[in-house]
Amino acid sequence: MPTMSTLLWTKCWLLLVAFSWGHVPPSRGHVPPSRGYLPPSRGHLPPSRGHLPPHDQVARVARFIAHRCDWTSMATISSHKPVVGQPFSNVFSVSDGPWGSGSGSGVPYMYLTRMEISVQDLEVSPQASLSMSLAQTGYCRQHGIDPQSPLCAHIILSGSVLEVNGTEAEFAKKALFSRHPEMMDWPSDHNWFFAKFNITQVWVLDYFGGVKTVSPDEYFQASPNRKHH
Amino acid sequence: MPTMSTLLWTKCWLLLVAFSWGHVPPSRGHVPPSRGYLPPSRGHLPPSRGHLPPHDQVARVARFIAHRCDWTSMATISSHKPVVGQPFSNVFSVSDGPWGSGSGSGVPYMYLTRMEISVQDLEVSPQASLSMSLAQTGYCRQHGIDPQSPLCAHIILSGSVLEVNGTEAEFAKKALFSRHPEMMDWPSDHNWFFAKFNITQVWVLDYFGGVKTVSPDEYFQASPNRKHH
């Protein structure tokens, strides 16, 4: 798509690769392990990370999933030909807080560049939707639950993406870089910025009986790790 | 949301559970293993499933990912309050062909019910977008690649969802039920039907340099497992 973006991204990565790893861009299967992605199944994940709350404690389930997932599929309204006005699904890393810092903030933070195709969509139409599923973790697989089953708990967040600054950007940086250390090395002239997903509605599919909704207030008041009465 | 759906889904599953497993609905962590989800990492996956094609063979990469992923995030334009007209991201199981049958058809087949919230969106506005990422498989994790990195190859399909019938529905059934055997037991009065994603454009993010596009013709002519010259 954008030629400038293409050139810059290529150039920067080539330079980065040349400097950091002393050779041409990594071939498939030889991606250098330094500062690699630290997925929940290893690395920084504390041994006790809690359990999926009971399905009827819907807000807690939502907070659990939001903290547990480190990437999301974001739906936007496309601003790009030939699909202008059509929905567009894309993949982004997220973090609502560092591992080991408790239960997370519930706010999905993102690290974005305006060179990115979906971020360009957001500049035209800021409304978006994030889906996160325990299918992304080992949970559904381990329990033999199909990704489309309501028992393979997943959430959908409606809202919009907002740039954050100041102390909130500091928190976003800590939340993201601790779980996605590779971000520290992403090409600086892409003008990365920190953003948050500003939630207006939470949809939860965690059991039989159809989708349930949770208000932002209920969502933020809930704690995935402690019981509420 | 829909009360009928809620009641039916609950009732049917309770009945199914009562008959199949002889007790009340499974509590978390005790989901019966019978006919469970068979993810790519075990079960029906043949030992040699090929390797991710070189990044510059973009159509082959797209076909590899489409065959490798057994679920997708679908973006629709919501038809539900309070987000009518906004993008909506949700999770669905897919299959473009059974494991072990070669390289797949490239057509993402789905098993849907009109009780489902995103399927209801499609009845108002059939255009949709699917994203599939190697972050869903072990690939990115094993190679220490961040889910948002272009090296964590992912594709976005633009198009629409169409019901299929006849021999195509037979193929869809084989493709889906072989990889998602749990579907066989889903409540029959939900009026499940087979559908395909009718691709109009393929977007590929598999390397530095920005998103690349592939036409449906290029996509369907490519084979993920054999080289094209």
Side-chain angles (χ1 to χ4, degrees), chain B residues 32-46:
Chain B
S34 66
R35 284 205 189 166
Y37 167 51
L38 297 166
S41 66
R42 60 195 173 105
H44 288 173
L45 189 65

Side-chain angles (χ1 to χ4, degrees), chain B residues 5 8 19 27-29 32 44 47-48 58 62 69 80 93 109 136 146 155 162 183 193 207 218 226:
Chain B
S5 160
L8 283 171
F19 275 100
S27 65
R28 302 247 187 245
H44 288 173
S48 170
V58 187
C69 289
H80 293 85
S93 292
Y109 289 103
Q136 297 166 224
D146 193 83
I155 57 171
L162 300 178
M183 285 178 174
F193 63 95
Y207 203 64
E218 294 167 314
R226 282 185 303 277

Side-chain angles (χ1 to χ4, degrees), chain B residues 121-158:
Chain B
D121 294 345
L122 294 171
E123 300 204 321
V124 179
S125 176
Q127 283 156 341
S129 169
L130 306 184
S131 61
M132 300 182 209
S133 166
L134 293 186
Q136 297 166 224
T137 72
Y139 180 84
C140 303
R141 192 164 289 190
Q142 279 155 22
H143 291 85
I145 311 170
D146 193 83
Q148 191 174 322
S149 166
L151 293 178
C152 183
H154 52 288
I155 57 171
I156 296 140
L157 306 176
S158 294

